[in-house]
Amino acid sequence: MTQISRDDVQHLAQLSSLQLSDNELDSLKEDIGNILGYVQQLSELDTTGVEPTYQVTDLENVWRDDSVVDDHITREQLLTLAPEAAAHQVKVPKVL
């Protein structure tokens, strides 16, 4: 089984911006060690002839041509629909 040191756990906690007590570090060290043990068990499985599963829902992207549709609407007509316009643009409130 892959061993993880207390320093490794402290480094991971620091990278994650976590402040852990000594008890939490020890508990997390044990948990991470168990997780790595399970991953090691999975790597020992014989997966010969098993196709990789990249996507389980069978959903596919639907693509269409990106084409411009000319509806004969002018900029001025569209700007009249806006609640407020200035300098030939739609005016919106500031978002900070």
Side-chain angles (χ1 to χ4, degrees), residues 6-86:
R6 199 166 194 275
D7 289 337
D8 292 335
V9 176
Q10 277 184 313
H11 183 67
L12 288 172
Q14 183 182 12
L15 291 174
S16 303
S17 299
L18 297 175
Q19 294 179 355
L20 301 175
S21 68
D22 289 341
N23 290 340
E24 290 172 321
L25 281 173
D26 293 334
S27 176
L28 192 56
K29 177 182 179 244
E30 185 178 332
D31 290 343
I32 291 173
N34 290 336
I35 291 169
L36 292 175
Y38 293 136
V39 171
Q40 186 175 1
Q41 284 180 1
L42 290 174
S43 68
E44 294 170 0
L45 289 174
D46 181 18
T47 57
T48 316
V50 177
E51 290 292 322
T53 303
Y54 299 110
Q55 210 262 19
V56 295
T57 61
D58 291 332
L59 295 177
E60 293 182 18
N61 286 332
V62 178
W63 300 99
R64 63 176 171 80
D65 291 335
D66 189 13
S67 58
V68 177
V69 177
D70 187 12
D71 288 333
H72 304 304
I73 297 175
T74 65
R75 177 190 299 241
E76 289 73 26
Q77 290 172 321
L78 291 173
L79 286 173
T80 60
L81 299 174
E84 192 173 353

